[in-house]
Amino acid sequence: MSSLPHIPVVWQTTLLLTASNVFMTFAWYAHLKNLNDRPWWIAALASWGIALFEYLLQVPANRIGHSEMSLGQLKILQEVITLTVFVPFALFYMKQPLKLDFLWAGLCILGAVYFIFRSP
């Protein structure tokens, strides 16, 4: 997998993973709002259709990122992005209330970022 030489690998990976996470968040949760009155298998088919686009971004992101990051670093980066995408999705799209638990979860993930990216 080739990467764009003028954009640092970590940024390429972050941008692709962020875009893929937007698709995956919608694939996993939007059916709870939009297809709640339909059979589960229709929601599953719609989710799989959305998830295809997630995979078209996620696979190259991880291949590019793995050229400079460890597997653990890629996973923690993905978790940070997941929370960063999920909180606005929950608040603005799903109309969920803001909870202090989002902050605590974010702080825990920041701790994970510190430990996984610190020098050996």
Side-chain angles (χ1 to χ4, degrees):
M1 168 68 36
S2 64
S3 59
L4 301 171
H6 58 285
I7 301 174
V9 165
V10 71
W11 283 111
Q12 290 180 57
T13 304
T14 300
L15 292 171
L16 285 168
L17 287 177
T18 299
S20 79
N21 216 286
V22 169
F23 282 107
M24 191 48 102
T25 300
F26 275 88
W28 280 24
Y29 302 110
H31 64 88
L32 298 174
K33 178 179 180 180
N34 299 323
L35 298 173
N36 209 17
D37 59 340
R38 304 286 174 109
W40 72 266
W41 60 270
I42 291 176
L45 289 174
S47 293
W48 288 342
I50 296 168
L52 170 65
F53 295 101
E54 186 270 341
Y55 276 92
L56 291 174
L57 296 167
Q58 176 266 123
V59 170
N62 283 325
R63 292 174 68 97
I64 290 168
H66 195 252
S67 70
E68 291 187 10
M69 289 182 270
S70 70
L71 188 61
Q73 289 172 328
L74 281 170
K75 181 60 181 169
I76 294 301
L77 178 61
Q78 174 63 35
E79 295 304 327
V80 168
I81 292 168
T82 296
L83 189 59
T84 302
V85 169
F86 179 76
V87 171
F89 173 84
L91 294 175
F92 300 116
Y93 187 78
M94 296 296 287
K95 307 291 188 214
Q96 297 292 302
L98 179 62
K99 295 184 177 186
L100 201 50
D101 290 344
F102 292 149
L103 173 64
W104 304 135
L107 291 174
C108 289
I109 289 177
L110 283 178
V113 169
Y114 168 76
F115 286 112
I116 204 74
F117 282 95
R118 71 181 174 160
S119 2

